[in-house]
Amino acid sequence: MRFALMTKDKPGALQTRMDNREAHLAYIADTGVVEMAGPVLDDEGQMCGSLIVLDVDDLAAAQAWADNDPYAKAGLFSDVTLRAWKKVIG
């Protein structure tokens, strides 16, 4: 089952994102459940959030993945939304 994890960074938190980026990318690679992912950009082209599509068994697994993301553990996000998602195109 697919879930979309949509996050918004806290204002002024770009350095927190950069400091934890390597661990975040390693977590994505190591867990093997991310179908696609990338940063959301602000009007200046700077990273300010994330969109991650997870392929996991259920909402509990998606929430566990989100909770253990190094970005989440670093307190990067001001807002997190996790919703079931259906792939239609692509």
Side-chain angles (χ1 to χ4, degrees), residues 11-46:
L14 182 59
Q15 190 59 52
T16 301
R17 175 176 280 274
M18 298 310 295
D19 291 346
N20 291 278
R21 187 167 173 77
E22 186 176 324
H24 168 74
L25 294 175
Y27 180 66
I28 287 174
D30 293 346
T31 58
V33 298
V34 175
E35 189 169 300
M36 66 179 77
V40 176
L41 307 178
D42 64 18
D43 292 339
E44 288 77 41
Q46 294 294 315

Side-chain angles (χ1 to χ4, degrees), residues 36-72:
M36 66 179 77
V40 176
L41 307 178
D42 64 18
D43 292 339
E44 288 77 41
Q46 294 294 315
M47 295 180 284
C48 63
S50 299
L51 172 60
I52 301 170
V53 177
L54 303 169
D55 189 0
V56 294
D57 291 335
D58 53 29
L59 179 58
Q63 186 65 62
W65 191 96
D67 291 345
N68 286 296
D69 179 356
Y71 280 166

